[in-house]
Amino acid sequence: MTATNLLQIDKLSKSFAENQVLKSIDLSVAAGEVVSVIGPSGSGKTTLLRCVNFLEVYDGGSIQIDGREVGYVDTSSRKRRGEVDLAGMRAETGMVFQSFNLFPHLTAEQNVMLGLRRVRKKPLKEAREIAQHWLSRVGLSHKADALPSELSGGQQQRVGIARAVAMDPKILLLDEITSALDPELVNEVLDVVRQLAVDGMTMLMVTHEIAFARDASHRIVFMADGLVSAQGKPDDLMAEVATNERLRNFLSRFSATAH
Amino acid sequence: MDAIIYSLPFLMNGLGVTLLVSAIVVALSLVIGVLLGIGLIYGPWPLRWLIRLLSDCIRGIPILVLIFVVYYGLPPLGLNLSSFWAAVLALTVFKSAHVIEYVRGAVTSIPRGQMEAGMAIGLIFPQRLRYVILPQAMRRFLPPWLNGVTDAVKGSALVSLLGVVDLMQAINQVIGRTYEPLPLYVLGALMYFAINYSLSTLSKVLERRYSYIRE
Ligand SMILES: Nc1ncnc2c1ncn2[C@@H]1O[C@H](COP(=O)(O)OP(=O)(O)O)[C@@H](O)[C@H]1O
Ligand SMILES: [Mg+2]
């Protein structure tokens, strides 16, 4: 096995009843790498991300993080990991959701602290320090005591990012994290992601912000119909437009509606 | 009138029994209802099916019938309960079925993403319930449940049917001796009202405590 990749996905397949959403995905992410996934709606991008932290049970193939199979005890036997084991693996995988999914009954700081306290078992004081550190990193020190309902969408999503990275995950998964935001709030969130990239956070992100994907990621993966249709360094991928009709169609539709 | 004043200690005893029955029924049905309610939502299918069946059957039987079924039905099975405990058991079974439904309604009203966000930070299932789902479900659970507590207090009067001397039965017995039904029923009504008024005050405090949308 190649031990160099932090995330290694081989021949991943996943169906919802008759609908085969992921056909055979091969994808890898090296430590410190930022990989963006683009592709038309319904091509399976969200499903792919959800498989990586086993929010979605996959049918075939293999997903490994740091050499450990996700969700199953090993690749061949398909025996499910127990709840504690699974939770332990998920704690190593940060996830930021399109719809934020903050805990509405907890303040911003408590949202960030929950995993630190109950999963990482940090003492209260240390958990609070880590939470304050990350809230300040996303520019929300002054909102530590606010409830999610008192925050703007952009602020909520920044808390969502702080909640995920405070756990010190090996890899951060981001699923169209700005698509539920008003246009004027998009940049404050993308800036935070950019900063994380500079700091060397390993990220796999689904995005429809093509310009952002181009300048923030090391590699872009284009998905279509449950397959990786093309991938490469941003400029190389854009050059593939000449030969990949699907990519050409996707990107042209995009530039027509891009803001 | 004197007779009524003399019988006040007797009435107070009855009030005590009413409060005791209500408290036991409310506490037991809360524990049982929450556990089975969670089983109904997250359990494996045979368990879900069984709980659904039980809850539907129990809620479909008039409480009166349930009380007599327990009272007359258990001794032939070798289970001899005093009329007090038979009544408490029947009321608890009845209340539990309702608590199950309050729990189901409250928990399923919480968006899927909450459970998933809890998974994503590595919480195990009981932690997700305790720290994510149940605190949020509380807000939806409290109003119907507190209503149900009031019903339980009123419903506890049914234990008098088995000869348990609760407030209702005490009143009837005093009337039997004094032949003054009206003042005694008014007194009884006031006592039930006092209990339920305190409960509804308490419920407002609780509901405010668990509302996390600051106005
Ligand atoms: N829970 C589910 N049950 C059934 N079908 C689903 C479910 N989630 C996603 N799908 C289907 O899988 C396909 C891919 O969805 P998704 O991964 O969300 O695509 P994308 O994120 O690229 O838009 C869609 O056709 C969608 O309807
Ligand atoms: Mg999607």
Side-chain angles (χ1 to χ4, degrees):
Chain A
M1 279 293 1
T2 49
T4 47
N5 286 321
L6 182 63
L7 171 66
Q8 180 72 43
I9 302 177
D10 293 306
K11 300 193 177 60
L12 176 69
S13 63
K14 162 79 189 168
S15 301
F16 291 108
E18 300 295 284
N19 181 11
Q20 191 171 26
V21 174
L22 302 178
K23 295 194 174 122
S24 178
I25 301 276
D26 295 311
L27 180 67
S28 61
V29 180
E33 199 180 14
V34 177
V35 175
S36 290
V37 180
I38 61 172
S41 157
S43 57
K45 307 180 297 297
T46 294
T47 306
L48 170 66
L49 278 198
R50 290 167 58 84
C51 285
V52 173
N53 66 354
F54 215 64
L55 287 183
E56 216 68 78
V57 177
Y58 53 96
D59 314 325
S62 145
I63 303 177
Q64 296 195 344
I65 294 177
D66 244 0
R68 292 185 74 207
E69 186 73 21
V70 171
Y72 300 104
V73 175
D74 58 61
T75 312
S76 47
S77 78
R78 295 267 135 186
K79 187 177 177 302
R80 286 266 196 103
R81 288 184 187 278
E83 175 70 13
V84 174
D85 197 7
L86 193 57
M89 284 206 81
R90 283 182 177 135
E92 306 289 306
T93 316
M95 182 144 198
V96 185
F97 298 88
Q98 185 170 357
S99 48
F100 322 143
N101 294 356
L102 292 186
F103 305 125
H105 58 303
L106 301 180
T107 64
E109 184 178 80
Q110 290 168 332
N111 263 274
V112 181
M113 282 171 62
L114 184 59
L116 294 169
R117 293 278 289 143
R118 304 301 163 191
V119 178
R120 296 282 185 242
K121 311 285 186 201
K122 302 270 190 211
L124 184 62
K125 188 162 163 288
E126 192 187 342
R128 182 166 288 143
E129 277 165 14
I130 298 172
Q132 281 168 355
H133 166 77
W134 282 108
L135 284 176
S136 108
R137 283 288 309 271
V138 301
L140 288 173
S141 297
H142 61 298
K143 292 290 185 187
D145 294 326
L147 290 169
S149 57
E150 299 165 322
L151 298 174
S152 74
Q155 291 171 330
Q156 288 187 56
Q157 194 56 296
R158 285 185 279 150
V159 175
I161 295 171
R163 176 175 69 177
V165 291
M167 295 294 286
D168 193 20
K170 290 177 177 160
I171 183 168
L172 189 61
L173 309 170
L174 308 106
D175 187 12
E176 299 211 26
I177 62 168
T178 58
S179 65
L181 297 177
D182 292 336
E184 72 272 18
L185 299 177
V186 166
N187 272 324
E188 65 188 52
V189 173
L190 293 186
D191 284 343
V192 168
V193 177
R194 242 182 230 112
Q195 195 54 50
L196 289 173
V198 169
D199 293 350
M201 172 68 74
T202 309
M203 291 191 271
L204 179 61
M205 60 181 174
V206 172
T207 182
H208 61 293
E209 301 282 341
I210 305 291
F212 173 72
R214 279 187 78 160
D215 70 43
S217 38
H218 299 110
R219 190 148 50 89
I220 299 181
V221 172
F222 173 60
M223 269 180 73
D225 284 337
L227 287 167
V228 171
S229 168
Q231 63 171 313
K233 292 202 180 88
D235 290 339
D236 296 347
L237 186 88
M238 296 304 156
E240 273 202 47
V241 165
T243 51
N244 188 324
E245 192 188 334
R246 279 220 142 100
L247 180 61
R248 183 163 62 239
N249 285 341
F250 173 70
L251 288 177
S252 67
R253 235 177 305 151
F254 233 94
S255 49
T257 57
H259 31 258
Chain B
M1 204 61 198
D2 275 358
I4 294 171
I5 289 166
Y6 286 133
S7 51
L8 260 183
F10 183 67
L11 289 176
M12 283 303 168
N13 264 340
L15 178 65
V17 171
T18 289
L19 288 175
L20 184 65
V21 170
S22 308
I24 297 175
V25 168
V26 165
L28 286 181
S29 65
L30 179 63
V31 174
I32 296 169
V34 167
L35 290 178
L36 293 185
I38 288 168
L40 176 64
I41 304 164
Y42 299 111
W45 74 263
L47 183 67
R48 292 205 305 263
W49 186 84
L50 185 69
I51 296 172
R52 168 65 32 241
L53 184 75
L54 277 175
S55 169
D56 285 349
C57 287
I58 291 164
R59 286 178 307 125
I61 302 174
I63 175 69
L64 208 57
V65 176
L66 198 60
I67 287 176
F68 285 121
V69 165
V70 169
Y71 187 62
Y72 293 110
L74 290 184
L77 300 177
L79 204 62
N80 280 302
L81 292 178
S82 66
S83 34
F84 177 85
W85 285 109
V88 166
L89 177 64
L91 288 171
T92 299
V93 166
F94 186 71
K95 272 287 133 193
S96 298
H98 287 86
V99 174
I100 287 173
E101 300 306 319
Y102 307 149
V103 169
R104 193 192 57 80
V107 170
T108 54
S109 75
I110 296 164
R112 261 174 74 90
Q114 287 297 308
M115 199 57 140
E116 295 185 345
M119 288 177 178
I121 57 172
L123 296 174
I124 59 174
F125 179 73
Q127 291 178 318
R128 296 198 295 273
L129 280 185
R130 160 126 193 248
Y131 300 112
V132 178
I133 303 299
L134 294 184
Q136 294 183 58
M138 204 62 159
R139 219 161 59 99
R140 284 283 298 263
F141 173 77
L142 275 178
W145 179 69
L146 287 162
N147 235 334
V149 170
T150 313
D151 283 345
V153 173
K154 289 185 274 183
S156 74
L158 292 170
V159 303
S160 61
L161 291 171
L162 299 187
V164 176
V165 187
D166 72 330
L167 180 56
M168 191 68 219
Q169 179 74 349
I171 288 169
N172 283 332
Q173 290 185 2
V174 174
I175 292 170
R177 273 181 275 141
T178 61
Y179 302 105
E180 287 194 79
L182 192 60
L184 275 160
Y185 278 132
V186 170
L187 184 64
L190 282 175
M191 282 180 171
Y192 278 111
F193 176 76
I195 299 173
N196 282 340
Y197 185 77
S198 329
L199 278 174
S200 73
T201 310
L202 175 69
S203 79
K204 287 204 185 75
V205 173
L206 277 177
E207 279 167 36
R208 208 167 311 126
R209 158 95 175 66
Y210 281 98
S211 99
Y212 46 81
I213 312 295
R214 288 183 195 143
E215 274 100 30

